Amino acid sequence: PLCLCWALGPAAASAPPNLLLLLMDDMGWGDLGAFGEPSKETPNLDQMASEGMLFLDFYTANPLCSPSRAALLTGRLPVRNGFYTTNAHARNAYTPQDIVGGIPDSELLLPELLKKAGYVSKIIGKWHLGHRPQFHPLKHGFDEWFGSPNCHFGPFDNRALPNIPVYYEDFKIDLKTGEANLTQIYLQEALDFISKQQASQQPFFLYWAIDATHAPVYASKHFLGTSQRGLYGDAVREIDDSIGKILKHLQKLGISENTFVFFTSDNGAALISAPKQGGSNGRFLCGKQTTFEGGMREPAIAWWPGHIPAGGVSRQLGNVMDLFTTSLSLAGLQPPSDRQIDGIDLLPAILQGKLIDRPIFYYRGDEMMAVRVGLYKAHYWTWSNSWEEYSKGIDFCPGQNVSGVTTHTQEEHTTLPLLFHLGRDPGEKYPLSFASDEYQGAMERISFVVQQHKATMVPGEPQLNVCDKAVMNWSPPGCEKLGKCLKPPKSDPKKCFWPH
Amino acid sequence: PLCLCWALGPAAASAPPNLLLLLMDDMGWGDLGAFGEPSKETPNLDQMASEGMLFLDFYTANPLCSPSRAALLTGRLPVRNGFYTTNAHARNAYTPQDIVGGIPDSELLLPELLKKAGYVSKIIGKWHLGHRPQFHPLKHGFDEWFGSPNCHFGPFDNRALPNIPVYYEDFKIDLKTGEANLTQIYLQEALDFISKQQASQQPFFLYWAIDATHAPVYASKHFLGTSQRGLYGDAVREIDDSIGKILKHLQKLGISENTFVFFTSDNGAALISAPKQGGSNGRFLCGKQTTFEGGMREPAIAWWPGHIPAGGVSRQLGNVMDLFTTSLSLAGLQPPSDRQIDGIDLLPAILQGKLIDRPIFYYRGDEMMAVRVGLYKAHYWTWSNSWEEYSKGIDFCPGQNVSGVTTHTQEEHTTLPLLFHLGRDPGEKYPLSFASDEYQGAMERISFVVQQHKATMVPGEPQLNVCDKAVMNWSPPGCEKLGKCLKPPKSDPKKCFWPH
C-alpha cells in the first residue's frame, strides 16, 4: 500500500510554554494606570497590557488571601477544596499562625499535575496554604520554594506570634519607614530561576507570589518616597519596575514567545489599610473581605508575545481558578476528571477572542453570597461587617454606604435577590426595581444557574475550623544555630474565631 | 556695507495652527477607557490619548455648565466674569430659560481676540452664556453658530419653558427611547466647517460643544443599545465614534499637524442622573454641583501630531481657563493686560513636559470652597446640598458619604481647613490630622496662596441674580412661518432661586 507519513508540525512538536504567574497581594483593580489609577505610576504593567491582553472582568474565587490562593492552585472553589470554615455563617477564614489545617493531600495542585508534562515548578514569596510541614509547597508539587509559609516574613521578630520558618532577622521590614528589600530579593530569585531553567531546557512554572502591597507594605530604599501615592504607591512602583525587569529578562533570553505570563491579584485592595497601607479598587464598591466588586474584581493581564494579539481587551468573565485549567491546557494536560473543577480554559478567549458564557460565584466562607451572570449580579446575602466591628472603626467600605447593600447585619435576600447591572452600574449603587421586567427576565436566568450550582455542590471538609497556638513556628529549622528556638505552649485546639 | 539677511524659518513664518476644542457636557473623569472606565468603550478617544497627551490633573473652573463655559471662553474665574450669583451664599447659578443676564459685553472672549490673528470661529452645539439676543455667540466674536442658546434644543416642544431659537420640531429627542440624531448633525457640521476652512486657507477656531451626555441623554439609532453602560454609554460611544471621524478628517485633509485639538468636559458627571442618564467620575468623590474632585476634575487630552509627543502623560495642574491663554499663545497673541486672567499658557507643559506650579481654586458661586496646591487640597467650606433637598432624594454623592466632608449643612473650615493628600487619597476620604507636621507644613504654603488670591480678588458684577419669565424664547425668529409664536407674559423680574 501507499503510505503517506507526516511529522508533526513545529507547533505541535514544540515544548509546552513556560508558565509565569505574577500574583499580587491585596492589590486592587484600580491600582494600575491601565485600569485608571489617577497617578499612572505603573508604566511597565501598562506596557505589558498594551503588548498583551487586558481583562476587565476578572475575579478571584474569594475575597481573602488563603482561600483565593488555594482556589488558584486547585482550580476549585474554597468551599470544595476545604479552605473555608463552618464555625459560623458566611465567615472569611484563612491561615493565621495558629491554624491547624492547611491544603489537604487529597487536593491536586497545579505543580503536581504539571510534573506529568515535565515542568519544574518554583514558588517565590507567599504560600499561605498552611504552615505546618505537611502542608508546605515542596509537599504539594513545587520543586523549589523561596519565601514564607504565611504572609510576609513577619510579624517581624514577634516572639508571641512566630511566623518565620528560618530567618528571624535576615529579612527585616522597618515598620517606621516601610523600608525592606524583599521585593528586590524576590526579583533576583525570579531572574535566577528563569536563567537556570532556560539553560536546562525544561519548561518551568514560576509562581511569583510577592507581598509588598499587603500591610505592612514596604519598598526598598531606592523606591521609598518616589510615588505620589505614599508608601503603598512606592511598593507598587517597585513591583512594576520588577515586572518590567522580569519581562525584559525573558526577552533577552529569547524565551518571551515561549513563556505565558499572567498578572493578577489574590483579592481586592484592603481599604481598611488605605490610604497609607492599602490600595484602590477604582470605582468598585468596598474592598477585601467583602463580596462586592471591590472585594473580588481583580486587575488581570495576559502576556505572550507572538501568540496573544497586542493591545487586546477582553470582556471574558475570568477567575483565578481558570489559571489552573488554562495552565494545564497550555501544558497539553487535562484537568482531573475525578472531581469538580471550577476553572475553565481561557485560551479560546485569549487566543481567539471568544467569549465563554460562565457564571462567577462570590462566596464568603460557607455561603454563596452573590452570583454574576452576564452583566447582572444578584446578591443572595449582603454583609460588610458587624456593627460591633464597625463601631470599633473596622470599615471595609470607607466613604461608601449604599443603603440596604453595605449592611452591617447579615441580610438574607434569597427569595428576592438584590440585582445590579454591572455595565450601567459597576459601583453596585442602584439595585434594580423588583417589579421591573428587566429584574424578572434576568433573575429567571440567574435562578437557573444558581439552582444548577447548588444542586451539584458537595462541600469539602472544612480545613479552617481549628486553631491551636501550639502549632505555631516556635522552633523553626535553623533556630538552634541562632539560639532563638522558643518553647511551644501545650496543645489546646479550639474553634478558630472568625470575626467577619 | 555687507548686509546679511535671513528669511524667518518655516516654523515662525507658517500660519498659526487651527484650534479645535472638543467640549463635553457633564462627562466625567471616569467615562473614558483611558481613564479606567471598566467597559473600555472609547477606542477613538483612547487612541487620541495614545497619540497625544493625557492630562490626569485637569480641572474645570466651576462644577456647573454655564460658569464653566464662561470661564473657558474668557480665561477668567466666574467670580470675575460675572457668571455667579450673590443671591445666597455659595450657590451654583447658571443660565436657565428665564435668566435675565448673560455674558457681559465688557468680557473679551477667545473668538473676539482670535480675530486679530485672522481666525474664523464657529461654535457648534451648546452656548449657555445667555439666550437673549445681545448675549448670542455672533455678538461675542463667533463668525458662525450652529446649535442652541441653552442646553440641548429642548426641553423639546415644551410650551411652558420655551428654549429653542428656531426649530421647534426639527430636532427631536424621543424621551422614551433616547433616540436623537443631533450628534450626527453636529458631527456633519464640524466636518463641513473643517473642509470649508481648509479650502479657504484661513486658520479656524472650532468650538464643538455637544451635549448628548447631558440629561436627557441621547444617541442616534445606530448607537442605541450598543453599550454595556446603557443609554449614557450609547451617547459616549457615538461621541467617541464622531471624534474619531473628526480626527481622521483632519488627517485626510492633511491638516492634522496644523490643528491643535483639545478634548475635555465642562464639569464632573451628574451622579444625580446616574446610572441611566449620568456618567462616572471614577474614584473621585461626588459629582457635578460639588467642589469635591468628582465635581471638577475632568478628562483631558491634547492632540497635535508632529508637535505633541505621542503617549505622553502630564501631571500639570490644568484648568479649562488655560485653553483661553494657550489658544492665544498658539495664535501668537497675548492675553488682555487690562484685567486679571486666571488661565495660564500650557504650551511649556504640553510641548516641553514642564511642570508649572499653580493653584486650582474650587468655587461655588461667590465662595472659594477649596484650593489645590501641589498634591494637597484644602477645603475651606464643605457642602454637598441641603438636608431639605437631600431628604427629597436629590443626592450629589450617591453611595458615598464621608463624615464631616460630604456635609448637608454649609460647614465653615476657614480657620482649620480640611486637608487631603490627593496622591494617597484621590477620593478625599481621609482628612489629615490637624496636629500632624504634614498638615502644618502644607497649610503654611496653602494659606499663603489663598491670602494672595483673596487680596487681589475683585469680583465682577454678578450676572445670574435676576430671573424673569418674560425673557424666555416665546417668539423665536421663524415661529411665524410655523405658526408657533407664543405670547410672552408680563415682565416680572425676581431674584433667581438657586437651591444649591
Side-chain angles (χ1 to χ4, degrees):
Chain A
L2 179 71
C3 297
L4 290 174
C5 304
W6 286 272
L8 282 169
S14 71
N18 303 309
L19 303 166
L20 172 51
L21 178 55
L22 308 167
L23 187 71
M24 302 301 110
D25 202 347
D26 287 4
M27 197 182 274
W29 197 94
D31 276 325
L32 274 60
F35 287 88
E37 201 293 310
S39 300
K40 281 217 185 276
E41 294 182 333
T42 54
N44 293 288
L45 285 163
D46 297 353
Q47 191 180 333
M48 179 183 177
S50 73
E51 294 169 2
M53 178 173 274
L54 200 61
F55 284 83
L56 300 173
D57 299 271
F58 200 86
Y59 288 87
T60 181
N62 199 273
L64 211 64
C65 334
S66 294
S68 164
R69 287 153 197 262
L72 189 158
L73 290 172
T74 61
R76 284 150 60 79
L77 283 167
V79 72
R80 293 193 217 273
N81 67 33
F83 262 61
Y84 74 108
T85 182
T86 52
N87 287 0
H89 179 251
R91 300 301 167 116
N92 295 320
Y94 68 112
T95 49
Q97 287 93 298
D98 60 350
I99 195 79
V100 170
I103 190 76
D105 277 340
S106 56
E107 289 298 316
L108 286 170
L109 272 64
L110 179 58
E112 293 179 74
L113 296 165
L114 288 174
K115 279 188 196 305
K116 288 185 235 165
Y119 278 75
V120 173
S121 298
K122 176 165 193 163
I123 166 174
I124 295 174
K126 171 171 164 178
W127 172 237
H128 229 195
L129 300 196
H131 66 279
R132 297 173 68 201
Q134 64 268 41
F135 302 125
H136 281 183
L138 304 187
K139 296 273 167 60
H140 289 272
F142 281 100
D143 302 292
E144 300 183 26
W145 175 28
F146 182 86
S148 65
N150 284 343
C151 188
H152 280 324
F153 279 98
F156 330 97
D157 226 0
N158 184 333
R159 304 295 157 101
L161 291 166
N163 172 19
I164 303 157
V166 186
Y167 327 84
Y168 267 114
E169 275 123 9
D170 285 2
F171 302 100
K172 280 202 182 154
I173 299 179
D174 183 327
L175 288 176
K176 269 196 189 148
T177 63
E179 182 178 343
N181 65 344
L182 279 175
T183 301
Q184 291 304 314
I185 295 169
Y186 290 146
L187 166 61
Q188 198 52 52
E189 278 288 319
L191 300 178
D192 291 349
F193 176 73
I194 291 167
S195 299
K196 188 188 70 169
Q197 284 312 120
Q198 192 259 346
S200 83
Q201 305 281 326
Q202 266 183 298
F204 68 77
F205 166 45
L206 174 56
Y207 175 43
W208 198 62
I210 58 170
D211 59 11
T213 47
H214 188 295
V217 302
Y218 59 81
S220 66
K221 196 164 189 178
H222 180 65
F223 290 92
L224 279 184
T226 62
S227 163
Q228 292 199 341
R229 304 177 68 202
L231 182 56
Y232 182 88
D234 297 341
V236 172
R237 279 178 55 94
E238 182 164 18
I239 289 170
D240 177 74
D241 183 80
S242 299
I243 290 174
K245 287 184 171 130
I246 290 173
L247 299 186
K248 276 189 196 74
H249 191 61
L250 294 173
Q251 285 166 325
K252 208 186 65 191
L253 294 177
I255 56 173
S256 62
E257 299 204 354
N258 197 36
T259 305
F260 177 88
V261 186
F262 203 93
F263 169 94
T264 190
S265 181
D266 63 345
N267 47 247
L271 299 187
I272 196 168
S273 307
K276 290 194 178 174
Q277 301 271 332
S280 161
N281 300 311
R283 81 181 53 186
F284 298 123
L285 188 62
C286 304
K288 180 179 176 179
Q289 306 278 3
T290 78
T291 47
F292 301 110
E293 291 297 286
M296 295 186 58
R297 204 184 299 203
E298 306 304 327
I301 305 167
W303 187 87
W304 191 14
H307 302 269
I308 300 175
V313 175
S314 178
R315 286 175 182 159
Q316 173 64 47
L317 302 199
N319 195 295
V320 293
M321 298 180 293
D322 303 341
L323 299 174
F324 173 88
T325 309
T326 306
S327 297
L328 291 178
S329 173
L330 285 162
L333 299 171
Q334 290 293 322
S337 56
D338 63 342
R339 62 196 70 202
Q340 183 71 42
I341 300 292
D342 297 289
I344 64 169
D345 181 359
L346 289 177
L347 289 186
I350 294 174
L351 300 179
Q352 293 134 46
K354 288 194 179 152
L355 280 181
I356 306 151
D357 190 22
R358 66 90 69 93
I360 298 291
F361 296 103
Y362 304 68
Y363 270 84
R364 192 156 168 167
D366 58 344
E367 185 60 77
M368 193 208 79
M369 306 284 287
V371 60
R372 175 175 174 179
V373 174
L375 283 166
Y376 292 99
K377 178 173 175 183
H379 288 270
Y380 287 72
W381 285 85
T382 52
W383 193 38
S384 59
N385 65 346
S386 67
W387 283 115
E388 293 90 314
E389 282 199 298
Y390 183 65
S391 67
K392 285 182 215 151
I394 298 175
D395 189 355
F396 298 145
C397 316
Q400 299 177 313
N401 175 40
V402 185
S403 291
V405 179
T406 54
T407 57
H408 290 289
T409 48
Q410 293 192 358
E411 297 288 331
E412 183 167 6
H413 311 276
T414 51
T415 50
L416 213 55
L418 287 184
L419 188 67
F420 295 92
H421 185 282
L422 293 178
R424 295 196 300 272
D425 177 25
E428 294 166 287
K429 288 184 169 68
Y430 309 95
L432 268 72
S433 160
F434 299 129
S436 65
D437 290 348
E438 187 179 4
Y439 182 92
Q440 301 298 330
M443 279 313 303
E444 210 168 295
R445 188 159 161 241
I446 292 171
S447 300
F448 176 74
V449 168
V450 169
Q451 211 180 335
Q452 292 276 95
H453 177 69
K454 296 217 161 181
T456 59
M457 170 57 70
V458 183
E461 182 74 20
Q463 302 297 316
L464 307 179
N465 280 353
V466 185
C467 290
D468 184 352
K469 284 198 184 297
V471 305
M472 295 199 286
N473 270 312
W474 300 102
S475 299
C479 68
E480 303 85 356
K481 267 194 231 164
L482 297 161
K484 301 250 167 126
C485 303
L486 299 170
K487 211 186 137 198
K490 235 185 85 185
S491 175
D492 179 21
K494 286 183 181 158
K495 268 192 179 185
C496 309
F497 173 67
W498 304 114
H500 34 254
Chain B
L2 178 73
C3 297
L4 293 175
C5 305
W6 285 271
L8 282 170
S14 72
N18 303 309
L19 302 167
L20 171 52
L21 178 55
L22 308 168
L23 187 70
M24 303 300 110
D25 202 346
D26 287 3
M27 197 182 274
W29 197 93
D31 276 325
L32 274 58
F35 287 89
E37 202 292 309
S39 301
K40 282 222 184 274
E41 295 184 333
T42 54
N44 293 288
L45 286 164
D46 297 351
Q47 191 181 334
M48 180 184 177
S50 72
E51 293 169 3
M53 179 174 273
L54 199 62
F55 284 83
L56 299 173
D57 298 272
F58 200 86
Y59 289 88
T60 181
N62 200 272
L64 211 63
C65 331
S66 293
S68 165
R69 287 152 197 263
L72 189 159
L73 289 172
T74 61
R76 286 150 57 79
L77 283 167
V79 70
R80 295 194 216 273
N81 67 32
F83 262 61
Y84 74 109
T85 183
T86 52
N87 287 0
H89 179 250
R91 299 299 168 118
N92 295 320
Y94 68 112
T95 50
Q97 286 94 295
D98 61 349
I99 196 78
V100 170
I103 191 74
D105 278 340
S106 56
E107 289 298 315
L108 287 169
L109 271 63
L110 179 58
E112 294 181 74
L113 296 166
L114 288 174
K115 280 187 195 305
K116 289 185 235 166
Y119 278 74
V120 173
S121 298
K122 176 165 193 162
I123 166 173
I124 295 174
K126 171 171 165 179
W127 172 238
H128 228 196
L129 301 194
H131 67 278
R132 299 171 70 201
Q134 64 268 39
F135 303 125
H136 281 185
L138 304 185
K139 297 273 169 60
H140 290 270
F142 282 100
D143 301 293
E144 301 183 26
W145 174 28
F146 181 87
S148 65
N150 284 343
C151 187
H152 281 323
F153 279 99
F156 332 98
D157 227 0
N158 183 334
R159 305 296 158 100
L161 292 165
N163 173 19
I164 303 157
V166 186
Y167 327 83
Y168 268 114
E169 275 123 8
D170 286 1
F171 301 100
K172 280 202 181 154
I173 298 179
D174 183 327
L175 287 177
K176 268 196 191 149
T177 64
E179 182 178 343
N181 64 345
L182 279 175
T183 301
Q184 292 303 314
I185 295 169
Y186 290 148
L187 166 61
Q188 198 52 53
E189 278 287 319
L191 298 178
D192 291 349
F193 176 73
I194 291 168
S195 298
K196 188 188 74 172
Q197 284 312 119
Q198 193 259 344
S200 83
Q201 305 279 325
Q202 267 182 299
F204 68 79
F205 166 46
L206 174 57
Y207 175 43
W208 198 62
I210 58 168
D211 59 11
T213 47
H214 188 294
V217 301
Y218 59 81
S220 67
K221 197 164 187 176
H222 179 66
F223 290 92
L224 279 184
T226 62
S227 163
Q228 293 199 340
R229 305 177 66 202
L231 183 56
Y232 182 88
D234 297 341
V236 171
R237 279 178 54 94
E238 182 165 17
I239 290 170
D240 176 74
D241 182 79
S242 299
I243 290 175
K245 286 182 170 132
I246 291 173
L247 299 187
K248 275 187 195 73
H249 192 62
L250 294 173
Q251 285 167 326
K252 208 185 65 190
L253 294 177
I255 56 174
S256 61
E257 299 205 354
N258 197 34
T259 305
F260 177 88
V261 186
F262 204 93
F263 169 95
T264 191
S265 181
D266 63 345
N267 46 248
L271 299 189
I272 196 168
S273 308
K276 290 192 179 176
Q277 300 269 334
S280 160
N281 300 311
R283 80 181 54 184
F284 297 123
L285 187 62
C286 303
K288 179 179 177 179
Q289 305 278 5
T290 77
T291 47
F292 301 110
E293 291 297 288
M296 296 186 59
R297 201 178 311 194
E298 305 304 327
I301 305 168
W303 187 87
W304 191 16
H307 301 269
I308 299 176
V313 174
S314 177
R315 287 176 181 157
Q316 173 65 45
L317 301 200
N319 196 293
V320 293
M321 298 182 292
D322 302 342
L323 300 174
F324 174 88
T325 309
T326 305
S327 296
L328 292 177
S329 174
L330 285 162
L333 300 171
Q334 291 293 321
S337 55
D338 63 342
R339 61 195 70 202
Q340 182 71 41
I341 300 291
D342 296 290
I344 63 169
D345 181 359
L346 288 179
L347 289 186
I350 294 173
L351 300 179
Q352 293 134 45
K354 286 192 181 155
L355 280 180
I356 306 152
D357 189 23
R358 67 90 70 90
I360 298 291
F361 296 103
Y362 304 69
Y363 271 83
R364 192 157 170 167
D366 58 345
E367 185 60 77
M368 191 206 81
M369 305 284 286
V371 60
R372 174 175 174 179
V373 175
L375 282 167
Y376 291 100
K377 178 174 177 183
H379 289 270
Y380 286 73
W381 285 85
T382 53
W383 194 39
S384 59
N385 66 345
S386 68
W387 282 115
E388 293 91 312
E389 284 199 298
Y390 183 65
S391 67
K392 285 183 216 151
I394 299 176
D395 189 354
F396 298 145
C397 316
Q400 300 177 314
N401 173 40
V402 185
S403 290
V405 179
T406 54
T407 58
H408 291 289
T409 49
Q410 293 193 357
E411 296 289 331
E412 182 167 6
H413 311 277
T414 51
T415 49
L416 213 53
L418 287 185
L419 188 67
F420 295 92
H421 184 282
L422 294 178
R424 293 197 298 273
D425 177 25
E428 294 166 287
K429 287 186 171 68
Y430 309 96
L432 268 72
S433 160
F434 298 131
S436 65
D437 290 348
E438 188 180 2
Y439 183 92
Q440 301 297 332
M443 278 315 301
E444 208 168 295
R445 187 157 162 241
I446 293 170
S447 300
F448 177 75
V449 168
V450 170
Q451 210 181 337
Q452 292 276 96
H453 177 69
K454 297 218 159 180
T456 59
M457 171 55 70
V458 184
E461 184 74 20
Q463 302 296 316
L464 307 180
N465 281 352
V466 184
C467 290
D468 185 352
K469 284 197 183 301
V471 305
M472 295 198 287
N473 270 313
W474 301 101
S475 300
C479 67
E480 304 85 354
K481 270 194 231 165
L482 297 162
K484 301 252 169 128
C485 302
L486 299 170
K487 212 187 135 194
K490 233 186 87 184
S491 174
D492 179 20
K494 285 183 180 159
K495 266 192 179 183
C496 308
F497 173 67
W498 304 115
H500 35 254

